[in-house]
Amino acid sequence: MSLTKTEKAIIMSIWDKMSVQADAIGTETLERLFSSYLQTKTYFPHFDLHPGSPQLRAHGSKVVAALGDAVKNLDNMEVALTRLSELHAYILRVDPVNFKLLSHCLLVTLAAHFPADFTADVHAAWDKFMSIVSSILTEKYR
Amino acid sequence: MVHFSSEEKSVINGLWGKVNVEETGGETLGRLLVVYPWTQRFFDSFGNLSSPSAIMGNPKVKAHGKKVLTAFGEAIKNLDNLKVTFAKLSELHCDKLHVDPENFRLLGNVLVIVLATHFGKEFTPDVQAAWQKLVSGVAIALAHKYH
């Protein structure tokens, strides 16, 4: 799977809108993840996961910043995400099923914040983008 | 078996009361076919599915989406009894339609996203969580009679 020119343009355009509220979007994505998929909390026993927690906000911010790196390097995502790919494979070892859950929660957050912009083709492009990012992050798992 | 607290039931019913079943159904099925094009395999008879705008405007997609979401409405009236409510539809999807149950999960998640576009801030993490439970319960109920 690789992104078409049109899809890349869509992804960058939505990124421009969301980057203004990047931290809030990252935090909300994680809140949604931990509310809907309780099992995902098992990866964060060391965090205070209550809404409003500074750790949650910092981590949400980190996750969205990493996505921003991917967006700025759409022609070369594997290289841009090398460090994160190794981190997830050798240190974090988050089960691959969870990438779909996080991706879904990000899309829900985008849909809630940008309803007019989140049309069917935008939804498709971002779902594909998140799927590719997830593949890259699990590429070195075995 | 999925169990809904009275809080969750209240959240689900509260939102459902404001949903336009016809529009939301068409939008949901349309997005499924756009975002996951392989799902078009079940709809060869639907005519023009050649682009996102063709799909979203397709009258057969809209009509079928309405049918599907109306069935969801039945789920909401029977939250404590999903498996029995969907027994016949489960058999249909297995024996006649030959639909991989993974598609129920995909459709459920697309519905959640459509609700998020319609309700925005009101679609809080807690509201989403209740709806994720519902769509998951429906998917399980629809797969229950598979053999």
Side-chain angles (χ1 to χ4, degrees), chain A residues 35-36, chain B residues 1-14 16 72-86 111-112 126-142:
Chain A
S35 295
S36 283
Chain B
M1 170 120 151
V2 178
H3 174 256
F4 297 90
S5 69
S6 47
E7 174 88 35
E8 285 164 341
K9 288 181 186 177
S10 160
V11 159
I12 289 166
N13 278 289
W16 187 249
F72 239 90
E74 280 312 297
I76 293 172
K77 292 193 199 121
N78 291 281
L79 290 173
D80 292 327
N81 226 349
L82 291 177
K83 286 188 177 146
V84 171
T85 304
F86 283 105
L111 173 61
V112 166
D126 284 344
V127 172
Q128 180 190 349
W131 275 84
Q132 295 291 167
K133 223 171 157 180
L134 171 62
V135 302
S136 166
V138 169
I140 290 167
L142 276 174

Side-chain angles (χ1 to χ4, degrees), chain A residues 74-131:
Chain A
L74 288 177
D75 292 328
N76 213 354
M77 285 194 278
E78 287 90 347
V79 172
L81 295 174
T82 300
R83 184 192 65 85
L84 276 176
S85 181
E86 286 168 1
L87 181 74
H88 283 78
Y90 307 130
I91 318 283
L92 301 178
R93 292 168 292 183
V94 171
D95 191 286
V97 75
N98 294 288
F99 292 94
K100 277 198 177 155
L101 304 181
L102 181 71
S103 299
H104 173 64
C105 288
L106 173 68
L107 297 189
V108 173
T109 304
L110 293 181
H113 280 245
F114 307 106
D117 299 293
F118 205 70
T119 57
D121 50 350
V122 169
H123 176 172
W126 268 83
D127 190 288
K128 195 173 168 183
F129 167 65
M130 291 304 292
S131 176

Side-chain angles (χ1 to χ4, degrees), chain B:
Chain B
M1 170 120 151
V2 178
H3 174 256
F4 297 90
S5 69
S6 47
E7 174 88 35
E8 285 164 341
K9 288 181 186 177
S10 160
V11 159
I12 289 166
N13 278 289
L15 209 76
W16 187 249
K18 302 185 231 183
V19 167
N20 178 326
V21 171
E22 179 163 4
E23 251 180 51
T24 302
E27 173 96 25
T28 300
L29 185 63
R31 280 180 186 250
L32 180 77
L33 300 175
V34 169
V35 179
Y36 309 109
W38 53 94
T39 58
Q40 293 170 25
R41 70 191 296 284
F42 302 107
F43 301 104
D44 280 339
S45 64
F46 273 28
N48 187 5
L49 298 178
S50 59
S51 70
S53 51
I55 291 170
M56 300 309 286
N58 182 311
K60 285 188 172 175
V61 171
K62 290 185 187 187
H64 196 69
K66 178 182 177 185
K67 201 182 202 177
V68 169
L69 209 65
T70 302
F72 239 90
E74 280 312 297
I76 293 172
K77 292 193 199 121
N78 291 281
L79 290 173
D80 292 327
N81 226 349
L82 291 177
K83 286 188 177 146
V84 171
T85 304
F86 283 105
K88 283 261 164 323
L89 273 175
S90 180
E91 284 171 11
L92 179 79
H93 282 76
C94 173
D95 298 334
K96 295 269 148 53
L97 305 177
H98 312 295
V99 176
D100 177 348
E102 179 58 24
N103 292 286
F104 309 142
R105 284 177 266 285
L106 290 179
L107 184 73
N109 279 338
V110 172
L111 173 61
V112 166
I113 287 175
V114 171
L115 293 176
T117 61
H118 287 199
F119 292 102
K121 279 193 170 52
E122 196 181 334
F123 200 69
T124 62
D126 284 344
V127 172
Q128 180 190 349
W131 275 84
Q132 295 291 167
K133 223 171 157 180
L134 171 62
V135 302
S136 166
V138 169
I140 290 167
L142 276 174
H144 186 65
K145 290 283 187 188
Y146 272 56
H147 59 97

